[in-house]
Amino acid sequence: MLRERIDDAAFLNLVSKWLKAGILDTDGRIIHPETGTPQGGIVSPVLANVYLHFALDLWFEKRVKSRCKGEAFILRYADDFICAFRYRDDAMRFYRE
């Protein structure tokens, strides 16, 4: 997802290193998770916003809004979001899907 918009190999390499960095546990051990970003890591909010742009924002714009009879919008702050619909039927369809 980052490569779609970023052509800076050094920056992409830095992000990769952040993702592979270990997490210092409370007992002093270093943990190396296999997936995801480290909780509380400096890169976590940035990557969450990039991911949610593709996985949520664009999906909402392309798939949800196009099927609504009335206005619809999404408001997102970090990993929280609210969707608003003019018509209840549109909101219920969104909720079911």
Side-chain angles (χ1 to χ4, degrees), residues 4-66:
E4 268 194 41
R5 295 274 179 111
I6 299 171
D7 193 29
D8 184 339
F11 179 76
L12 293 172
N13 189 38
L14 181 60
V15 170
S16 179
K17 285 181 180 182
W18 268 324
L19 291 173
K20 293 175 185 171
I23 302 167
L24 184 60
D25 201 5
T26 55
D27 64 0
R29 293 183 304 129
I30 296 178
I31 301 169
H32 293 277
E34 292 184 28
T35 60
T37 62
Q39 182 68 28
I42 192 166
V43 75
S44 295
V46 174
L47 294 181
N49 273 311
V50 170
Y51 176 77
L52 288 172
H53 169 72
F54 286 95
L56 181 62
D57 301 342
L58 294 179
W59 168 77
F60 189 87
E61 289 297 317
K62 293 178 181 180
R63 300 290 179 141
V64 175
K65 283 179 81 168
S66 64

